Amino acid sequence: MAALGPDLRADLQAAVLRKITHERMIAAAFPTVLVKALATLRKPEFDMAEVARTLESDPVVALRCIRLVNSVALAAAQPAVSILQAVGRLGALRLRTLLLQIAAERVFASQDPAINQACRTLWQHSVAVGLLTRELLAFGAIDDDAAEAGYLGGLLHDIGKPVVAGLLLDAERRLRGKATQHWLNVDEWIEWINEVHRQAGLALAIKWEMPEVVSEAIRSSDQLDEAAPRSVTNFIVLANDLAKREGLYLGPVDLDAISARISAAKSLLALPEGAIEQLTPGLRERVAERLT
């Protein structure tokens, strides 16, 4: 497959950035059930029974809630058998995280085979970063709310990449009238996604009214903040680098830069000796378990 010429490359970039900047709908519509449930959860005082009634109208979402509550990590003596029991045991914070995760999974799933495999790899990386962030925060003796926020930030730090992938495919078809696999160089395609995904991710974070930790992770997932050494974002940066080092990433990786940043993060975050070495073994298996 031939690489893009400079003129077409410039046209393609302009088309993608124009869509990100000016179009309100930059991704698939947020599922109505999730919109209603999340709006209820944002109220200062909300009724969990109302949330449950909303989620019951989407069998897939309801099943995911019950499965999570009955998983090994959260299982109680008696398994939850209703969506009301499930959401009550999850609590508002975990439930909000789960609903945003379900929405994100739909963004990372493409109908076009040209980008679907790449998006699956992107999602594996995102899940790995989310899991590692939560585990690192636990080692760092950070409270449970921060750990849950860190998981969400890590999970969604690359949410702009599948958005850009879809916009790129659409722009390409408009310019050439052909599908990606016929003419777009794959390495260049990945480079483009990595280059402009933050703008799309931030736009989506605003559209979905995500917590600030997600927006900050999108902006700074590859840059340590020495002025705020124990910030949740710094834990996400470390988790991002660890996932890349373990090969869970789409695109080229600068291992020297990653190793240097991991060493700096160890010092900055004051993690217990051997914490990282305990987390990376079996990472692929833990990610695969979450994706089944």
Side-chain angles (χ1 to χ4, degrees), residues 67-76 289:
R67 283 180 58 191
L68 176 59
V69 167
N70 292 337
S71 67
V72 174
L74 298 177
E289 183 180 350

Side-chain angles (χ1 to χ4, degrees), residues 6-290:
D7 292 341
L8 187 56
R9 181 184 174 100
D11 289 344
L12 194 55
Q13 181 182 33
V16 170
L17 294 180
R18 187 163 54 249
K19 279 179 171 287
I20 292 171
T21 303
H22 298 297
E23 291 195 8
R24 296 182 65 185
M25 290 300 293
I26 64 169
F30 201 104
T32 303
V33 166
L34 302 186
V35 170
K36 291 181 179 179
L38 288 167
T40 301
L41 289 170
R42 282 195 293 270
K43 297 176 182 177
E45 295 183 9
F46 61 86
D47 181 3
M48 196 62 90
E50 180 184 350
V51 178
R53 286 193 296 272
T54 299
L55 297 180
E56 282 173 345
S57 64
D58 188 322
V60 174
V61 175
L63 179 60
R64 288 286 298 275
C65 291
I66 293 173
R67 283 180 58 191
L68 176 59
V69 167
N70 292 337
S71 67
V72 174
L74 298 177
Q78 294 294 325
V81 295
S82 71
I83 186 63
L84 180 57
Q85 286 181 331
V87 299
R89 292 182 192 176
L90 280 173
L93 187 60
R94 279 187 179 274
L95 180 57
R96 187 179 187 190
T97 299
L98 176 63
L99 298 183
L100 284 171
Q101 178 173 331
I102 292 170
E105 287 174 5
R106 297 181 184 184
V107 173
F108 276 87
S110 170
Q111 297 299 313
D112 193 291
I115 63 175
N116 197 43
Q117 180 58 51
C119 284
R120 280 198 294 268
T121 303
L122 289 172
W123 185 236
Q124 288 172 344
H125 170 75
S126 295
V127 171
V129 175
L131 290 174
L132 285 170
T133 301
R134 179 187 277 160
E135 293 163 354
L136 287 166
L137 284 162
F139 269 115
I142 307 297
D143 65 75
D144 290 344
D145 285 358
E148 199 63 24
Y151 172 76
L152 187 61
L155 187 75
L156 302 180
H157 76 286
D158 274 349
I159 188 69
K161 289 186 177 180
V163 175
V164 173
L167 294 177
L168 187 60
L169 188 68
D170 180 63
E172 172 201 341
R173 284 171 172 163
R174 290 174 184 273
L175 290 169
R176 280 289 189 92
K178 296 181 180 180
T180 298
Q181 61 263 40
H182 295 311
W183 66 281
L184 184 62
N185 180 283
V186 174
D187 291 337
E188 196 164 33
W189 184 80
I190 293 172
E191 178 188 344
W192 263 93
I193 293 172
N194 289 333
E195 185 175 323
V196 299
H197 75 94
R198 296 187 197 282
Q199 290 171 270
L202 289 171
L204 193 59
I206 293 170
K207 179 179 177 60
W208 285 9
E209 300 182 30
M210 293 183 192
E212 177 58 29
V213 66
V214 175
S215 297
E216 189 57 36
I218 292 169
R219 293 188 196 98
S220 309
S221 60
D222 57 0
Q223 183 176 354
L224 290 167
D225 182 1
E226 296 185 3
R230 299 272 289 171
S231 67
V232 171
T233 304
N234 279 346
F235 281 90
I236 295 172
V237 172
L238 175 57
N240 190 28
D241 281 334
L242 290 173
K244 290 179 180 179
R245 190 186 70 179
E246 296 303 307
L248 286 162
Y249 189 65
L250 179 69
V253 172
D254 186 341
L255 288 175
D256 290 337
I258 285 174
S259 296
R261 199 159 46 234
I262 289 173
S263 296
K266 283 183 180 179
S267 175
L268 203 61
L269 299 174
L271 292 171
E273 189 66 30
I276 289 176
E277 290 70 22
Q278 293 182 49
L279 295 181
T280 49
L283 177 61
R284 286 183 177 274
E285 290 73 17
R286 298 203 302 281
V287 170
E289 183 180 350
R290 295 300 292 262

